[in-house]
Amino acid sequence: MDPSKLRQKFKRFRILIIGRANAGKTTILQRVCKTRENPEIYNSAGEKVQSMIPVVPRGCSQRGVHDIENEMVFRNNPGFVFHDSHGFEAGGNSEFHSVKAFIASRSNSRRKLSDRIHVIWYCIPMDEDGRSFTEGEVKFFSQCDTGSIPVIVLFTKFDALYDDEFAELISKGVSRKDAEALAPQHAKDASANGPQLKLLYNRKGNQRPPRCHICLPDMDKDDADCGPLIERTAETLDDETLKQMFVSTQRTNLGVCIRLAVRM
């Protein structure tokens, strides 16, 4: 479909982002939308309810304050609409059922395509406090039926694993220079055989395993590259119209856009 006609018919691409507090969700969305600003937040009636994301102290919860139906939009790229689920990591029944009902509602084929959730990004931080799955994460991947919506797991704060691998290499007599160069790949190799992936892709225990996962280190840096996330997300979209919509909406990486357009 011609991009201009596509934009007239489907004005927005909708993403549900799930993850613990301090998982780096807002930072990732800022990188994807190529902005440093916080999103504007609108309720289901289209009324602005909040222009800033509140800073939540580590260990505190936003439960009871947030509405998953609210839409987060960055002025720099209004073609993306994000929904966020707060307070889900604790695994409470009310939070879980709210997310489950929202996904069921937004995956309904009777809804307009532009109102459905098109992809789910599930953020799991890999810093020291977050390497064990929470009850909420276990419950989501074992009980939540996401239907045809592709789920991509984003391992955030992945660079925290570099320090562990760096120390391990140093203990084996590797020079500091070589250890710094080798640590990122060693971290990826270690995570590939780690318990997180075994749990995610255990089809016996998971009703809906994710389509794929991606490691996102260094997202706190201004030059962080979201290209791999954009490319992987596009690859998971089975519907060609949605894939075109996603590619035309993203403004992070022109090279990625061109490569995806050629493949289509």
Side-chain angles (χ1 to χ4, degrees):
M1 186 181 294
D2 180 83
S4 60
K5 293 181 179 179
L6 184 70
R7 183 64 60 189
Q8 290 176 0
K9 190 172 184 180
F10 306 108
K11 297 185 182 299
R12 304 192 296 181
F13 189 92
R14 199 175 295 270
I15 297 173
L16 169 61
I17 188 164
I18 302 177
R20 314 170 199 177
N22 300 299
K25 293 178 291 182
T26 301
T27 300
I28 289 172
L29 300 186
Q30 288 172 328
R31 297 293 177 265
V32 168
C33 292
K34 222 169 184 179
T35 183
R36 295 182 181 180
E37 295 182 356
N38 283 311
E40 296 178 334
I41 302 179
Y42 299 86
N43 62 22
S44 57
E47 302 165 332
K48 186 184 289 189
V49 295
Q50 190 175 315
S51 59
M52 296 289 286
I53 297 291
V55 177
V56 180
R58 192 173 182 80
C60 294
S61 172
Q62 288 175 306
R63 190 174 307 148
V65 178
H66 185 81
D67 185 350
I68 194 173
E69 291 284 351
N70 286 347
E71 300 178 345
M72 301 193 301
V73 179
F74 291 89
R75 285 181 294 178
N76 190 54
N77 195 344
F80 278 126
V81 176
F82 301 101
H83 294 266
D84 187 11
S85 172
H86 287 279
F88 186 55
E89 63 262 33
N93 286 330
S94 61
E95 293 86 354
F96 176 72
H97 289 307
S98 293
V99 171
K100 193 173 180 179
F102 178 76
I103 291 174
S105 171
R106 293 286 182 152
S107 62
N108 194 320
S109 60
R110 287 175 292 183
R111 273 186 177 266
K112 292 192 301 182
L113 183 60
S114 59
D115 290 336
R116 299 178 207 167
I117 291 296
H118 304 129
V119 71
I120 297 172
W121 288 343
Y122 202 120
C123 298
I124 300 177
M126 297 296 286
D127 54 0
E128 195 62 39
D129 297 331
R131 296 179 192 173
S132 298
F133 279 5
T134 65
E135 183 182 346
E137 288 157 359
V138 172
K139 186 178 289 188
F140 179 87
F141 289 107
S142 62
Q143 300 180 29
C144 191
D145 185 355
T146 54
S148 60
I149 305 174
V151 179
I152 303 174
V153 168
L154 316 184
F155 286 117
T156 64
K157 302 186 177 180
F158 188 81
D159 40 308
L161 296 180
Y162 295 176
D163 293 339
D164 294 347
E165 295 302 322
F166 176 82
E168 179 71 17
L169 288 165
I170 290 294
S171 70
K172 294 179 178 178
V174 178
S175 69
R176 293 186 65 87
K177 181 178 180 181
D178 288 343
E180 288 178 356
L182 293 170
Q185 187 58 50
H186 277 237
K188 289 183 179 181
D189 294 342
S191 67
N193 298 311
Q196 290 88 0
L197 293 188
K198 291 178 181 178
L199 175 61
L200 284 177
Y201 295 108
N202 177 10
R203 291 186 175 274
K204 183 178 291 186
N206 290 350
Q207 182 175 354
R208 292 284 179 175
R211 292 279 184 93
C212 63
H213 67 276
I214 186 169
C215 301
L216 294 177
D218 303 320
M219 285 293 105
D220 57 324
K221 297 181 179 178
D222 289 338
D223 60 349
D225 181 16
C226 273
L229 172 58
I230 297 297
E231 199 155 358
R232 186 64 63 86
T233 300
E235 290 170 353
T236 64
L237 294 169
D238 298 326
D239 187 285
E240 288 301 316
T241 299
L242 284 180
K243 186 174 294 190
Q244 284 186 324
M245 180 63 180
F246 178 76
V247 172
S248 66
T249 301
Q250 74 86 25
R251 301 175 183 175
T252 304
N253 191 308
L254 181 59
V256 170
C257 189
I258 292 172
R259 287 199 302 274
L260 292 170
V262 169
R263 292 178 196 171
M264 294 187 295

